[in-house]
């Protein structure tokens, strides 16, 4: 193996190790993770949803994948629950699993953020 191959292999192993350690740390802190399907359309939606979740008590991390429209949320189950997380998303104008968006918040969204906007 060349030095370059060894370097790339070492970096790959380090990345996998750090990712596994981060997951273990979340579990050790008593966090749970949930995935919620949303009606997000674009990066503005991503920003709006992630910000709403960031201000939700008990949420430690939230990330929305715009392509799949799925928000992955790490949260403390002693401070919040999945239904409250869905409601936080709905309050800013987006569907969250079976919870429909707040009608007033939905109407206030830019056209590109509404269903079929892209």
């Amino acid at each position: 193996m060349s030095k370059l191959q060894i370097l790339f292999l070492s970096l790959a192993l380090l990345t996998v190790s750090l990712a596994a350690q981060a997951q273990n740390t979340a579990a050790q802190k008593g966090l749970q993770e949930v995935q919620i399907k949303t009606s997000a359309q674009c990066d503005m939606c991503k920003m709006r949803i992630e910000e709403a979740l960031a201000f939700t008590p008990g949420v430690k991390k939230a990330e929305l994948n715009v392509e799949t429209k799925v928000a992955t949320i790490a949260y403390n189950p002693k401070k919040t629950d999945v239904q409250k997380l869905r409601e936080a998303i709905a309050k800013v104008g987006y569907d969250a699993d079976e919870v429909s968006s707040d009608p007033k918040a939905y109407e206030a969204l830019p056209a590109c953020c509404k269903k079929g906007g892209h």
Side-chain angles (χ1 to χ4, degrees):
M1 290 178 88
S2 72
K3 290 181 181 181
L4 187 57
Q5 288 173 323
I6 292 171
L7 177 64
F8 282 126
L9 181 59
S10 297
L11 287 174
L13 290 173
L14 178 63
T15 302
V16 169
S17 174
L18 290 174
Q21 184 179 7
Q23 288 177 347
N24 288 339
T25 301
Q28 290 171 354
K29 291 182 179 179
L31 299 179
Q32 292 185 4
E33 189 174 274
V34 65
Q35 293 188 326
I36 298 175
K37 182 75 171 175
T38 72
S39 58
Q41 302 293 312
C42 64
D43 286 335
M44 286 176 41
C45 302
K46 174 181 172 68
M47 181 186 70
R48 207 173 269 111
I49 290 171
E50 289 177 352
E51 183 177 313
L53 290 167
F55 286 104
T56 302
V59 172
K60 298 300 177 192
K61 182 181 177 188
E63 186 173 342
L64 179 91
N65 181 317
V66 176
E67 288 183 29
T68 63
K69 302 181 182 188
V70 173
T72 303
I73 307 157
Y75 68 98
N76 181 339
K78 293 178 182 177
K79 295 184 178 182
T80 193
D81 59 44
V82 177
Q83 188 61 25
K84 288 179 185 171
L85 300 174
R86 290 182 185 120
E87 290 168 3
I89 294 169
K91 284 180 185 175
V92 292
Y94 301 93
D95 295 343
D97 290 338
E98 71 280 352
V99 177
S100 296
S101 62
D102 176 270
K104 287 184 180 180
Y106 178 79
E107 286 305 315
L109 293 175
C112 65
C113 294
K114 294 182 179 179
K115 298 173 194 170
H118 278 209

